[in-house]
Amino acid sequence: SDVWAVPRCQPVLNNIMAAQKVYGGSGEGYWKAVFSYLFLETHPQLGGDVEVDDDSLRDMVEQMMNGLQRTGITTGMSAKAISPSLADPTPHLQIQIEAICIKLGMPQRVFQGSERGQLASSQDDSAWNDRVQAYQTGYITPGIVRPFVNRLITYGVLPRPAKGLKVEWPDITSMSAQEKAQVAATRMSALSTYLNGGGGPAMPLM
């Protein structure tokens, strides 16, 4: 409804929880896989009827894994170490981020906070600004701001404006000071090239 809207995280809750599992699982998986797996096996020449002291072997391996002991003694057995395999969690996490951005209608650069600077995409930035402006003027102003202010005016909390209620939003497409400086530097460079190249007779400055 207009009052109790869908929570912002509800459409992407499953993806957020999946991303948390990838974040947590990557650290836990690395901790478990960083140690080699140790397998103890008897020699085939001894046949299948071999008595193994499981308790002693278990204590020896426990001391080697969790204690300061770095040597082990086996009788009639050999030990083999299996190297662990680590998987890169980046592709799994990227899939969840893409799904979240698709459901929110938000460019990934904007979602990840890299919409400014050298990583900015002008098309992504322009599309997101258009979406934000449409949300401001199409929903927030007529559906939230105006009804709220009119209710305050009705109950005498705010005075009734003489020229009517006008809602203005700051320009989100305006350039920053650094961007303005870059534009000015580009214009000065072009003007210097024009003057030094003798372009005045062919194309007057004005």
Side-chain angles (χ1 to χ4, degrees):
S1 66
D2 293 336
V3 179
W4 301 103
V6 177
R8 188 63 169 168
C9 284
Q10 180 173 333
V12 298
L13 181 60
N14 292 334
N15 302 105
I16 293 176
M17 296 177 65
Q20 288 179 337
K21 293 178 182 178
V22 175
Y23 275 118
S26 61
E28 183 70 16
Y30 174 79
W31 174 251
K32 289 185 176 181
V34 71
F35 300 104
S36 300
Y37 293 99
L38 186 64
F39 290 90
L40 301 175
E41 60 181 10
T42 59
H43 293 288
Q45 293 82 353
L46 299 177
D49 189 11
V50 180
E51 293 184 2
V52 178
D53 190 351
D54 295 336
D55 295 334
S56 298
L57 290 176
R58 188 177 297 107
D59 293 340
M60 181 187 68
V61 175
E62 182 71 20
Q63 290 296 327
M64 293 175 60
M65 292 296 181
N66 300 324
L68 299 178
Q69 180 178 335
R70 290 296 179 264
T71 59
I73 301 175
T74 59
T75 303
M77 305 182 69
S78 61
K80 291 184 178 180
I82 305 300
S83 300
S85 59
L86 297 176
D88 184 11
T90 303
H92 303 279
L93 183 62
Q94 190 64 29
I95 291 176
Q96 302 302 329
I97 294 178
E98 290 178 358
I100 292 174
C101 294
I102 290 174
K103 292 180 180 179
L104 295 181
M106 181 184 299
Q108 290 190 42
R109 297 178 185 272
V110 179
F111 180 79
Q112 295 176 340
S114 58
E115 75 279 8
R116 297 294 182 187
Q118 298 298 327
L119 298 179
S121 172
S122 58
Q123 294 181 351
D124 288 346
D125 200 11
S126 177
W128 178 246
N129 289 338
D130 293 342
R131 185 178 178 87
V132 172
Q133 289 178 337
Y135 185 71
Q136 291 173 345
T137 58
Y139 176 74
I140 297 180
T141 297
I144 298 178
V145 177
R146 286 186 178 275
F148 176 71
V149 175
N150 289 334
R151 188 175 182 86
L152 295 180
I153 294 175
T154 301
Y155 285 93
V157 178
L158 293 177
R160 186 175 299 277
K163 297 183 179 181
L165 178 61
K166 182 180 180 181
V167 180
E168 294 183 356
W169 292 93
D171 185 11
I172 60 177
T173 61
S174 60
M175 294 187 297
S176 62
Q178 182 179 1
E179 292 172 340
K180 292 179 180 178
Q182 292 177 351
V183 172
T186 303
R187 290 180 176 175
M188 291 302 298
S189 177
L191 182 59
S192 176
T193 303
Y194 166 80
L195 294 177
N196 295 332
M203 181 181 296
L205 181 62
M206 296 303 296

